[in-house]
Amino acid sequence: MIRRVAEGEGRILSKVRTLLWLVTLAALLAAALAVGASSAASVIERRTEIGLMKALGAGRGMVGFLLTAELLLLAVVGGAIGYTLGIFLARLVGEKIFGVAHNPRYSFS
């Protein structure tokens, strides 16, 4: 009897874990599309600046490097803010719903 209950719970947890991975992948895909659209809009809005840099002698590599560096900086800052906010919200939800603060494990298994 106990074994069947444990197996049932294990199947449910496995399905929940799979669902969470699918939601995570969907969120990553949505974020990638948003970043692509944002960077394309940034390039379109800054055409005159890019033209001026090219007129002053900057090559395609330098312009690409500057745009990539800006996107990388935004990604690092956004990732750090998202990670910190995620940890905070996980602790808050853990305390409010389960009565125990969540301590991150830092493992993906």
Side-chain angles (χ1 to χ4, degrees):
M1 176 71 175
I2 294 175
R3 184 176 215 182
R4 276 193 294 180
V5 170
E7 287 174 357
E9 287 180 0
R11 283 193 303 269
I12 290 172
L13 288 176
S14 176
K15 289 179 182 182
V16 167
R17 180 177 289 154
T18 302
L19 177 65
L20 289 176
W21 275 111
L22 289 174
V23 169
T24 300
L25 290 175
L28 285 173
L29 179 64
L33 290 173
V35 167
S38 174
S39 62
S42 175
V43 168
I44 290 171
E45 288 176 2
R46 297 169 73 184
R47 281 186 301 193
T48 53
E49 294 173 21
I50 293 170
L52 182 60
M53 283 191 285
K54 284 188 161 198
L56 292 174
R60 292 179 76 186
M62 179 58 89
V63 173
F65 173 77
L66 289 173
L67 291 173
T68 303
E70 179 181 340
L71 288 174
L72 186 62
L73 177 66
L74 287 173
V76 168
V77 170
I81 291 171
Y83 180 79
T84 304
L85 188 61
I87 294 289
F88 172 74
L89 289 176
R91 290 184 66 89
L92 183 69
V93 167
E95 287 175 3
K96 296 294 182 187
I97 294 178
F98 301 110
V100 177
H102 172 71
N103 291 324
R105 294 185 301 185
Y106 304 109
S107 69
F108 298 104
S109 58

